[in-house]
Amino acid sequence: MNDRLALLTAYPFERLARLKAGEHPPAALPHIAMSIGEPKHAPPALVIDALRQNLGKLDSYPATLGLPEMRAACAAWLARRFAVRVSADTMVLPVNGTREALFSFVQAVVSAASNARPVVAMPNPFYQIYEGAALLAGAEPLFLNTFAEQRFQPDLDAVPAATWDRCQVLFLCSPGNPTGAVLSLDYLRHALQLAERHDFVIAADECYAELYRDEAAPPPSLLQAAVASGHDGFQRCLVFHSLSKRSSVPGLRSGFVAGDPALIKPYLLYRTYHGCAMPVPTQLASIAAWNDDAHAAANRALYREKFARVLPILAPVLDVVEPDGAFYLWPDVQRDDATFTRELFARQNLTILPGSYLARDTAAGNPGRRRVRISLVAPLDECVDAAQRIRNFLER
Ligand SMILES: Cc1ncc(COP(=O)(O)O)c(C=O)c1O
């Protein structure tokens, strides 16, 4: 087997299952899962209808490049959402959810040609795929801590120039999982300056771009930062978008990447061999989803309502703030996060995720330590019930 597989860390949910093993929570309380980031809102009817209507189209192999209509719908959405002009012919590719794309893109892009060991930089805590992708590509993961004091933004200026010189990919995630922090246009432009100076690619995971607090301030895209910096060709930029969170269809496995055609072209070649074309019915359902913004706004409103109901219950006992984006709370619980998680489960039959499982130890500590991730994905009543249970737990 590939010996790099041994470098992979157990996925946080495996560690969580081990943490909970042997506990016997009160059977009278139904279990509430707030650990995983799987949207639970009803999928929009227009997506389900389009999928049903096109099931007959399973009789041909789909092209890796996708249907022109699919790429056009993605480009049109980018134009509406971020006011950027992206060529549907050369700058967009459908992917089967961003997870596989975040992984496979790194395999396609990391080069061992230079003598120095390649670096793939990422925020810490982070979506676990970034690290696995880096390790399996033979790169060294570089963890950029995100602490509350820096508004959960990786400090790019703390990285020595010699390390940036070895960097081949910088992952950014905005809105961030688990912090919910949004990176500003200025921050993204600064990241691009570094990318240009040290010749690396920025992989911007924007899968939460449609879930944000302030309707008047939607999170910007790396593509906007590129245009604002005069890079209309999106040099060194690739953004990752998904319907999983936007349209509450994590099971559809539908997303797309967009950006620099000089990255898209070889990545398409890689994907052709990898064999990960999107089925035609999925593409047609995805077109319906990308073409409609009303359901995404309604989805956003549902999360806002959850924050509005949950935060007043938790605020007296927990240091909680409403994040700028995504659907997580990331509070400092002022004690060991794994113990907190285990005891909460044991007493309240409620599962959350220890923050340290989502981060790695660094010289400056583990930025997930003493924090927990609480996903507001369950129905509103369950979220309110869960908040009340956390409060009861902390008040006892
Ligand atoms: C930050 C982040 N990126 C990517 C993904 C993958 O989403 P999908 O593969 O459903 O597009 C997730 C899912 O939880 C995530 O939290």
Side-chain angles (χ1 to χ4, degrees):
M1 296 297 285
N2 181 344
D3 29 300
R4 288 178 187 158
L5 285 169
L7 301 172
L8 299 180
T9 312
Y11 216 65
F13 297 108
E14 253 180 80
R15 296 173 69 189
L16 180 63
R18 268 186 260 133
L19 180 75
K20 287 165 54 183
E23 298 295 346
H24 301 285
L29 290 175
H31 179 250
I32 303 179
M34 304 193 94
S35 44
I36 86 164
E38 181 182 65
K40 293 286 180 206
H41 299 162
L46 57 94
V47 176
I48 306 296
D49 289 348
L51 196 57
R52 279 212 187 96
Q53 279 159 21
N54 290 294
L55 284 176
K57 304 205 169 81
L58 289 171
D59 58 352
S60 56
Y61 280 118
T64 310
L65 183 59
L67 297 168
E69 298 84 346
M70 166 73 182
R71 285 179 277 115
C74 298
W77 175 76
L78 287 171
R80 289 198 309 281
R81 172 67 178 79
F82 300 114
V84 290
R85 284 167 59 93
V86 167
S87 159
D89 292 333
T90 59
M91 295 178 173
V92 180
L93 276 185
V95 297
N96 294 320
T98 46
R99 182 179 182 138
E100 65 92 354
L102 292 161
F103 179 82
S104 60
F105 177 64
V106 175
Q107 312 314 306
V109 87
V110 167
S111 160
S114 89
N115 288 333
R117 182 161 183 220
V119 161
V120 171
M122 63 199 73
N124 189 32
F126 56 94
Y127 181 54
Q128 301 295 291
I129 301 304
Y130 310 156
E131 181 195 41
L135 291 170
L136 284 180
E140 173 189 333
L142 173 70
F143 300 112
L144 308 174
N145 291 330
T146 59
F147 288 113
E149 301 76 52
Q150 285 98 33
R151 296 178 24 247
F152 299 114
Q153 303 190 349
D155 182 1
L156 303 178
D157 295 328
V159 177
T163 307
W164 280 135
D165 281 340
R166 284 199 293 129
C167 181
Q168 296 192 10
V169 181
L170 164 64
F171 276 114
L172 294 176
C173 184
S174 175
N177 170 6
T179 66
V182 166
L183 302 174
S184 69
L185 204 60
D186 282 348
Y187 182 98
L188 295 169
R189 289 187 67 179
H190 180 54
L192 268 172
Q193 275 171 1
L194 286 169
E196 208 175 336
R197 193 175 312 145
H198 299 280
D199 193 21
F200 60 80
V201 170
I202 304 183
D205 181 349
E206 300 181 352
C207 76
Y208 291 97
E210 290 275 76
L211 303 185
Y212 49 88
R213 179 163 53 98
D214 184 354
E215 208 59 31
S221 168
L222 180 68
L223 298 182
Q224 283 169 291
V227 173
S229 304
H231 302 314
D232 289 8
F234 309 112
Q235 289 88 342
R236 300 188 179 80
C237 298
L238 203 69
V239 297
F240 295 70
H241 284 280
S242 175
L243 288 176
S244 300
K245 324 285 179 184
R246 176 183 189 266
S247 304
S248 293
V249 285
L252 189 66
R253 310 312 302 131
S254 178
F256 70 89
V257 297
D260 188 346
L263 297 171
I264 294 277
K265 196 171 171 207
Y267 183 42
L268 171 62
L269 176 67
Y270 177 94
R271 294 182 66 77
T272 307
Y273 278 84
H274 189 58
C276 44
M278 185 186 287
V280 172
T282 309
Q283 292 189 59
L284 295 168
S286 304
I287 292 170
W290 288 116
N291 282 344
D292 181 73
D293 296 329
H295 78 276
N299 193 30
R300 193 154 58 236
L302 287 178
Y303 287 113
R304 238 176 247 146
E305 193 183 353
K306 290 183 193 177
F307 282 115
R309 295 282 302 279
V310 158
L311 287 172
I313 300 171
L314 292 177
V317 291
L318 210 54
D319 169 29
V320 275
V321 279
E322 183 170 354
D324 286 339
F327 47 53
Y328 304 105
L329 292 172
W330 181 240
D332 179 349
V333 291
Q334 320 241 324
R335 69 193 79 177
D336 180 70
D337 47 296
T339 310
F340 182 94
T341 301
R342 196 185 60 237
E343 289 179 356
L344 179 66
F345 173 67
R347 304 224 184 110
Q348 299 289 340
N349 207 7
L350 169 58
T351 306
I352 56 171
L353 192 62
S356 58
Y357 289 12
L358 293 169
R360 295 291 173 267
D361 294 339
T362 67
N366 181 320
R369 206 174 71 86
R370 293 162 58 117
R371 289 187 180 270
V372 294
R373 192 186 76 175
I374 304 173
S375 298
L376 298 192
V377 290
L380 177 65
D381 289 354
E382 267 185 49
C383 287
V384 170
D385 182 5
Q388 196 57 57
R389 290 194 208 178
I390 295 173
R391 180 153 164 182
N392 295 346
F393 169 73
L394 285 167
E395 280 176 345
R396 276 181 59 195

